[in-house]
Structures are given as C-alpha cells and as structure tokens.
Amino acid sequence: MLKNLRINHEGILPSFSPDITEYYLTVSEDINKIDVEAIPEDPNLKVEITGNDNLKIGENLITINVTGEDEIYNIHVLKTDNYETLNNNLEVLSIENGLLDPPFDSNITEYKLEVMYDVKNLNILAVPENEDAIIEISRSI
C-alpha cells in the first residue's frame, strides 16, 4: 500500500488516499512526461512506475505497482490539445445560510451541506475557473 503519491502537475482527482487506486488527470499537449513519486507504507517494498513518459494525445495509463503486496495504482492521463476548454473546475462555491463539509476546495467534488430546518431555498454562488464554462445546478437529495 502507498503512504504517499505525488506528481509534478496539479489537477489529479481524487485527492490521494492509500485506499483509492484509480486517479484521473488531464494535461495539455505540451506535457510529455509526468514525474511520479510513490512512497510505500513499508520502506522495504519496491515501487515500479511505468507509462509516465512519452505521453501521446488521448488516453494514457500510468501504472504504479507496489511489489510484494500485488497492489496496483493507476493514473488515467488524458493528454489533449483542447486543455483550456476541458477545465470544468470551480473557482468559487458558496451557499448562503449553509455550511459546506468539507470546506470548498476545487479538487473536491462531493460535499455535505448543513442548513437550518426552516430553510426552503438555497442561494448558490458557483464561479467556474474557465470563463466560457456554463454552470448548471440541479437538485439532488
């Protein structure tokens, strides 16, 4: 099992957790290599990383194999020449009269919301990082 996983590019989803073995990253066409640092919980175990260089346009797979535990972590990398248009991150997310749990972070995509029992409507402010993006808010319970 990995204790820590670091790469030299922002935007990997979800945030690293030792129990999560599948990750996703989108990079622009000028990125040819992803530097990966994978640290096992047991320092005696060896980590083998493949697929992190010579990235091609389209889907790429970086595999991190923790030998001795038969544990494999994957980073699915999408290399695209339309990187700017693929940015669907929020820059701001706030809800009037509500408290997000956890606090807003553009790398987190699921939240819980606590409101007082008498709140009937939510005023939501969502601002995208990409100014051409369209925000759609739907109800989910």
Side-chain angles (χ1 to χ4, degrees):
M1 184 173 283
L2 289 181
K3 176 168 79 172
N4 206 341
L5 174 65
R6 288 180 227 144
I7 64 170
N8 64 331
H9 292 281
E10 291 184 20
I12 192 168
L13 292 174
S15 297
F16 175 73
S17 172
D19 298 326
I20 298 173
T21 58
E22 299 292 323
Y23 296 89
Y24 301 88
L25 177 68
T26 301
V27 297
S28 61
E29 65 184 323
D30 61 328
I31 304 300
N32 294 313
K33 180 179 181 179
I34 305 289
D35 293 329
V36 178
E37 180 182 11
I39 302 169
E41 284 187 357
D42 181 344
N44 296 317
L45 295 177
K46 186 176 179 179
V47 174
E48 182 181 345
I49 300 167
T50 58
N52 62 318
D53 55 5
N54 299 319
L55 299 177
K56 64 183 181 356
I57 293 290
E59 295 182 29
N60 297 269
L61 181 64
I62 298 173
T63 301
I64 303 158
N65 186 7
V66 182
T67 59
E69 287 193 351
D70 295 324
E71 183 103 42
I72 296 177
Y73 293 78
N74 292 310
I75 304 174
H76 302 269
V77 180
L78 175 62
K79 180 176 175 176
T80 179
D81 54 1
N82 294 320
Y83 181 74
E84 290 303 316
T85 61
L86 292 178
N87 179 351
N88 61 359
N89 292 338
L90 290 178
E91 185 174 324
V92 174
L93 176 63
S94 66
I95 301 176
E96 184 179 43
N97 299 322
L99 183 60
L100 290 175
D101 181 26
F104 175 70
D105 180 321
S106 63
N107 291 318
I108 299 173
T109 58
E110 292 187 24
Y111 296 91
K112 292 180 183 176
L113 178 67
E114 292 184 22
V115 296
M116 296 297 290
Y117 70 93
D118 59 345
V119 171
K120 295 186 185 338
N121 295 308
L122 296 176
N123 292 321
I124 301 171
L125 174 63
V127 178
E129 287 181 0
N130 179 352
E131 63 186 37
D132 295 326
I134 297 171
I135 301 284
E136 181 179 314
I137 299 173
S138 60
R139 181 180 176 179
S140 176
I141 297 178

